[in-house]
Amino acid sequence: MASNNKLGTVGIVRPTARSGGFEDLLRMLPEGIAVAHTCLTVQRGTVEEFKKVVQQYEEKVAEMAEAKVDVVNPSGAPPFMVLGYDGERKLIGDWEAKYKIPVFTSGSSHVDALRALSAKKFVGTSYFRGDLNKIYAKYFVDAGFDVLDMVGMDVDFERVPELSSKQVYDFVKGAFLANREAEAIYMLGPAWRASDMVEKLEHDLGVPVVHALPAQYWDIQRHLHVRIPAAGLGRLAAEMP
């Protein structure tokens, strides 16, 4: 845990220990926000694995509460999205009641970010194949959104961090151009090394982009009652709605 926590401490439970997105987040966060973190061992990115890992998340949430952090962020949207929107909301409520600490997941951050940007109708992108994308789409539909499509990239889960920014940009842009009526673009997952392209996508396509890392940057501050905008990460981080 970083020692400088004058603005508060967030406890982050990561689904994997792989590098990339988490280090980017630490560079993004303002000085004064401390981060305590721990990792699980999600490896395959399957529905069955996501369902089994929830108990491990709870054990880590309990550890964070015992460490007296100010808010806990069990990160990684898929393990909670497979529970469904209502199932996730119930789980968060149960944990907050049991451990007496605010809790927010990646999924709840993304829902709240889309609402903060006044986006009702969006196109989603992910780096998962097949029916998982239908589960993600239903999660957002149940949260009240019009999901025009949830497009999964054909890539192995463990190879996602190897994708270039251009590969991700081209994939996301293609998904939007096939759904031009979208009011926003949603990019599921921090393993895409893509936070540097959010602003470019917004400029080129004319709609806001909700990407995992800027959304986490925004929601950590929101829960700590801090509002320090950041340039270069897109509208959500720049405007802090």
Side-chain angles (χ1 to χ4, degrees):
M1 187 192 306
S3 60
N4 185 0
N5 65 344
K6 64 182 179 182
L7 299 179
T9 301
V10 57
I12 299 177
V13 183
R14 300 167 58 199
T16 74
R18 63 185 176 188
S19 62
F22 181 69
E23 288 77 10
D24 290 344
L25 176 69
L26 294 181
R27 284 190 289 270
M28 292 176 189
L29 285 173
E31 183 179 355
I33 294 179
V35 177
H37 75 99
T38 186
C39 303
L40 305 183
T41 56
V42 173
Q43 296 177 333
R44 300 183 305 279
T46 63
V47 173
E48 293 74 18
E49 185 179 33
F50 291 146
K51 288 181 177 179
K52 289 178 181 177
V53 81
V54 171
Q55 179 57 42
Q56 295 176 36
Y57 269 106
E58 178 167 3
E59 292 167 2
K60 299 301 183 182
V61 169
E63 290 176 10
M64 291 294 181
E66 181 67 24
K68 305 297 185 185
V69 301
D70 297 296
V71 60
V72 181
N73 174 207
S75 67
F80 301 97
M81 286 184 175
V82 300
L83 301 174
Y85 178 69
D86 291 336
E88 180 193 56
R89 284 171 58 87
K90 182 181 185 304
L91 183 65
I92 291 172
D94 289 348
W95 284 351
E96 289 183 330
K98 184 175 182 179
Y99 299 110
K100 312 300 182 187
I101 193 168
V103 175
F104 69 96
T105 66
S106 297
S108 69
S109 288
H110 302 161
V111 166
D112 289 345
L114 287 161
R115 289 173 176 163
L117 292 166
S118 301
K120 173 75 173 176
K121 185 190 314 183
F122 72 87
V123 60
T125 57
S126 85
Y127 42 72
F128 294 90
R129 299 184 177 108
D131 288 345
L132 263 173
N133 293 293
K134 295 178 181 178
I135 294 173
Y136 303 150
K138 185 177 186 305
Y139 170 90
F140 285 104
V141 169
D142 290 346
F145 295 95
D146 183 357
V147 182
L148 301 176
D149 201 357
M150 183 68 71
V151 187
M153 182 181 270
D154 185 13
V155 60
D156 292 337
F157 182 70
E158 66 275 9
R159 301 199 60 147
V160 176
E162 301 172 17
L163 295 169
S164 69
S165 288
K166 184 179 187 306
Q167 286 175 294
V168 179
Y169 173 90
D170 289 344
F171 176 71
V172 174
K173 183 175 181 178
F176 174 80
L177 292 179
N179 298 274
R180 292 173 184 257
E181 66 271 37
E183 298 167 349
I185 296 167
Y186 170 60
M187 298 176 64
L188 187 152
W192 272 330
R193 301 303 298 273
S195 55
D196 62 331
M197 76 176 61
V198 170
E199 199 167 62
K200 177 173 173 53
L201 282 165
E202 291 183 336
H203 176 269
D204 293 350
L205 303 178
V207 297
V209 175
V210 172
H211 175 276
L213 292 178
Q216 195 173 13
Y217 174 93
W218 168 78
D219 216 10
I220 288 170
Q221 293 195 53
R222 190 169 68 115
H223 280 83
L224 293 176
H225 307 289
V226 177
R227 192 172 184 272
I228 303 174
L233 300 173
R235 277 183 54 187
L236 189 65
E239 299 175 7
M240 298 295 286

